[in-house]
Amino acid sequence: MKRVITYGTFDLIHHGHINILRRAKEYGDYLIVGVSTDEFNAIKGKNAYYPYEERKLILEAIRYVDEVIPESDWGQKVKDIKDYNVDIFVMGSDWEGKFDELAEHCEVVYLPRTEGISSSKIKEDLKDNE
Ligand code: C2G
């Protein structure tokens, strides 16, 4: 029973998110997603269109996702890895190298991002087409 975890804002869910969730799940049997709270998004300098509860609801409806937990600060990952018995931590390649210290506690995997899509691109494109 391999347990995988990944983190993110996951606003305006798109195929880039689906790709990383599907591939993260392929590394194990159970995928936990730490979804950023609205307060943590403010710390990350992100302003999500959907509030936390909606982003959580949408993620819970995705077939690859087994559990959704709040991500409220940068420093919670080690405790999450221990508390949830995580074997593998997965992030997109834009984070390559940023979480290597977690390798003391679990396997760390960075997967290539899906090119050409992002929540901010969606917002910009919609604005341009108004
Ligand atoms: N992602 C991807 N391809 C895209 C867009 C996003 O693979 N075209 C991946 C990101 O690499 C990340 C995940 O989808 O692994 C979620 O992306 P965001 O919602 O943008 O999350 P982010 O703001 O990077 O927050 O502690 C970690 C942070 O919470 C990550």
Side-chain angles (χ1 to χ4, degrees), residues 7-10 36-37 39-46 71 74 95:
Y7 294 85
T9 297
F10 292 101
S36 308
T37 60
E39 297 74 16
F40 184 51
N41 269 335
I43 293 169
K44 292 200 293 187
K46 280 197 159 185
E71 179 189 33
W74 289 113
W95 293 95

Side-chain angles (χ1 to χ4, degrees), residues 60-85:
E60 285 169 343
I62 295 172
R63 66 173 60 205
Y64 309 115
V65 177
D66 296 288
E67 184 173 0
V68 179
I69 63 171
E71 179 189 33
S72 48
D73 64 74
W74 289 113
Q76 72 182 74
K77 294 185 176 67
V78 173
K79 184 175 183 310
D80 289 347
I81 288 164
K82 290 181 180 145
D83 290 355
Y84 292 93
N85 299 315

Side-chain angles (χ1 to χ4, degrees), residues 6-11 14 16-17 20 34 36 40 44 46 71 74 77 90-95 99 111-119:
T6 190
Y7 294 85
T9 297
F10 292 101
D11 192 28
H14 51 66
H17 294 135
I20 192 121
S36 308
F40 184 51
K44 292 200 293 187
K46 280 197 159 185
E71 179 189 33
W74 289 113
K77 294 185 176 67
V90 174
M91 286 303 292
S93 52
D94 47 315
W95 293 95
F99 299 111
L111 296 174
R113 271 176 76 90
T114 302
E115 291 311 315
I117 184 73
S118 69
S119 307

